[in-house]
Amino acid sequence: MKKFTLMLMVFVLSLMVASAALANGVEPATKQVKMKIEKVYYMKGSGYYVAHTTKDQDGHFWVLQVTDIATPKEDKAFSQVLRKQYNGKQVVVTYVEPLDEDEEVEIWDVKLK
């Protein structure tokens, strides 16, 4: 089985941030961070398997969606496979910070190292 690519949109973000910034003549600056995956688990409310990264110096962390399809209940064996595959791995997140503090961060790319 191929490795799952981390398909994430931690929080569903709109493209309005980027288009609004470009319309104002201000190009959003992309940033990258390298974080380590700390834990992978099934999120009951959404039905997706997600990965949490370690916290940075400011206490921020990423919640990354690991699976594309939601399931009604957790498969314990599948959870174990995902934990073995992702726990302790490094991930590089490319993102754009919001122009306004009320907006969410827009993730552009995630690569597993």
Side-chain angles (χ1 to χ4, degrees):
M1 179 163 55
K2 279 187 167 183
K3 277 189 178 180
F4 287 100
T5 43
L6 289 176
M7 303 298 281
L8 30 139
M9 284 298 156
V10 176
F11 305 101
V12 178
L13 304 171
S14 75
L15 295 175
M16 291 171 51
V17 173
S19 51
L22 293 174
N24 291 332
V26 178
E27 289 191 38
T30 59
K31 295 185 176 186
Q32 278 191 337
V33 291
K34 287 183 185 178
M35 307 284 284
K36 189 179 256 187
I37 295 176
E38 184 175 61
K39 60 184 173 181
V40 178
Y41 64 94
Y42 176 76
M43 187 181 285
K44 287 182 184 179
S46 69
Y48 292 97
Y49 291 86
V50 296
H52 270 243
T53 65
T54 54
K55 294 180 180 180
D56 65 10
Q57 66 272 11
D58 297 324
H60 301 117
F61 61 92
W62 295 94
V63 179
L64 309 171
Q65 183 179 316
V66 177
T67 55
D68 290 332
I69 300 172
T71 58
K73 65 179 190 169
E74 179 181 13
D75 179 340
K76 301 280 186 188
F78 186 58
S79 294
Q80 278 299 97
V81 169
L82 291 176
R83 285 185 189 109
K84 286 180 182 176
Q85 185 173 1
Y86 292 118
N87 278 349
K89 299 281 176 143
Q90 247 193 0
V91 65
V92 178
V93 180
T94 304
Y95 67 98
V96 175
E97 285 188 334
L99 298 174
D100 297 324
E101 289 185 21
D102 294 342
E103 297 174 2
E104 294 178 344
V105 173
E106 183 176 354
I107 297 173
W108 282 15
D109 187 39
V110 175
K111 292 183 181 174
L112 189 65
K113 291 244 175 189

